[in-house]
Amino acid sequence: MLEHEANANSTHSKTTGLPRKRFYRARAHSNPLSDSHFPVPISPSQVDYSVHYPQLFPSPDKFDGSKRIEFADVGCGFGGLLISLSTMFPETLMIGMELRDKVTEYVKERVVALRSSNPGQYENVSVVRTNSMKYIPNYFEKEQLTKMFFLFPDPHFKEKNHRRRVINLHLLDEYAYVLREGGIIYTITDVEELGVWIKSCLEGHPLFEAVTKEELEADAVVKLLSSATEEGQKVARNGGQTFQAVYRRIAPCVSNCEKH
């Protein structure tokens, strides 16, 4: 009986070794404009890759800058997308950015457990607790990223709170800065009004253009947007709709021209 109670109260599954979500639950969203206390690198050169990818960079002095993070999952939640991407792109470094401390801790424990039970895998994935609306330039150099993900972000329904939305014209300037030309922003939401907002912001920005339908159908990553995360799976179970916007970072226009 005591052993059963101990197993029931364990933060990790006895069979899989993975952390149990119920011990890491937090509010669905946090206020991105509030001040939280966590360390932030002064500049991208100060990001310690040995903390995030210890097998690849055993110590800080082993990092020579030749291999950098290329994928960023902003508001990564419980890390479902990252875990799927990790094996799909085993040579690509990727990181989740999450504001909620308990959720960040869950993803850390999940990655540690997966690395332990799958030697040689998941060494390219990590997570950091941070506020991506404030500190994106602290983590990534100009044109460093090839993919950014914004899956089921907080809709901030009240008009006075729209400035808290993680996709807006001001923040798109920052995302365009850290994305290299040809890089992709992937977004999905189950809130139609937010979907319209996101698409309008991306359409209105001179450094992004919509990815074609043919390219979307050929992109295996697009299929993960609605299936890899807890939120996406919940929407699917409830028969809900989702609204995607996938856009490419393009070169700046150097003469008088219009975006087509």
Side-chain angles (χ1 to χ4, degrees), residues 79-184:
L81 175 68
L82 287 168
I83 299 307
S84 297
L85 290 171
S86 178
T87 52
M88 186 181 287
F89 299 91
E91 300 302 316
T92 302
L93 298 185
M94 55 193 73
I95 197 163
M97 311 182 83
E98 176 58 53
L99 184 56
R100 296 166 293 172
D101 55 348
K102 285 186 178 180
V103 178
T104 306
E105 193 59 34
Y106 172 87
V107 180
K108 286 181 181 178
E109 295 289 340
R110 185 178 185 181
V111 170
V112 168
L114 286 169
R115 287 173 177 173
S116 177
S117 58
N118 302 272
Q121 290 187 300
Y122 304 103
E123 301 295 346
N124 61 330
V125 61
S126 188
V127 66
V128 63
R129 183 181 180 221
T130 193
N131 187 338
S132 57
M133 291 183 70
K134 293 183 177 182
Y135 302 121
I136 283 281
N138 295 68
Y139 285 90
F140 309 117
E141 304 277 4
K142 182 180 181 181
E143 298 181 350
Q144 177 176 331
L145 300 178
T146 58
K147 295 184 188 296
M148 295 185 76
F149 300 90
F150 301 84
L151 275 54
F152 301 98
D154 190 335
H156 293 294
F157 288 108
K158 294 180 180 178
E159 188 172 349
K160 67 177 183 179
N161 291 332
H162 284 182
R163 64 197 177 102
R164 298 181 182 178
R165 288 178 168 176
V166 73
I167 297 286
N168 61 50
L169 286 174
H170 166 68
L171 287 173
L172 283 177
D173 287 342
E174 292 195 357
Y175 305 154
Y177 178 82
V178 297
L179 271 171
R180 69 186 62 167
E181 188 177 329
I184 305 290

Side-chain angles (χ1 to χ4, degrees), residues 15-34:
T15 54
T16 66
L18 293 171
R20 294 172 167 174
K21 285 180 185 174
R22 64 190 178 95
F23 290 100
Y24 299 85
R25 290 291 177 186
R27 294 180 63 182
H29 301 285
S30 295
N31 179 2
L33 300 185
S34 66

Side-chain angles (χ1 to χ4, degrees), residues 226 229-240:
S226 57
T229 68
E230 184 180 65
E231 296 89 342
Q233 292 162 10
K234 182 179 178 181
V235 171
R237 285 196 303 271
N238 295 334

Side-chain angles (χ1 to χ4, degrees), residues 14-61:
K14 188 176 180 182
T15 54
T16 66
L18 293 171
R20 294 172 167 174
K21 285 180 185 174
R22 64 190 178 95
F23 290 100
Y24 299 85
R25 290 291 177 186
R27 294 180 63 182
H29 301 285
S30 295
N31 179 2
L33 300 185
S34 66
D35 287 323
S36 299
H37 301 285
F38 41 74
V40 177
I42 297 172
S43 69
S45 64
Q46 300 300 308
V47 175
D48 189 348
Y49 276 57
S50 68
V51 170
H52 295 288
Y53 315 101
Q55 283 295 107
L56 303 176
F57 307 101
S59 63
D61 60 346

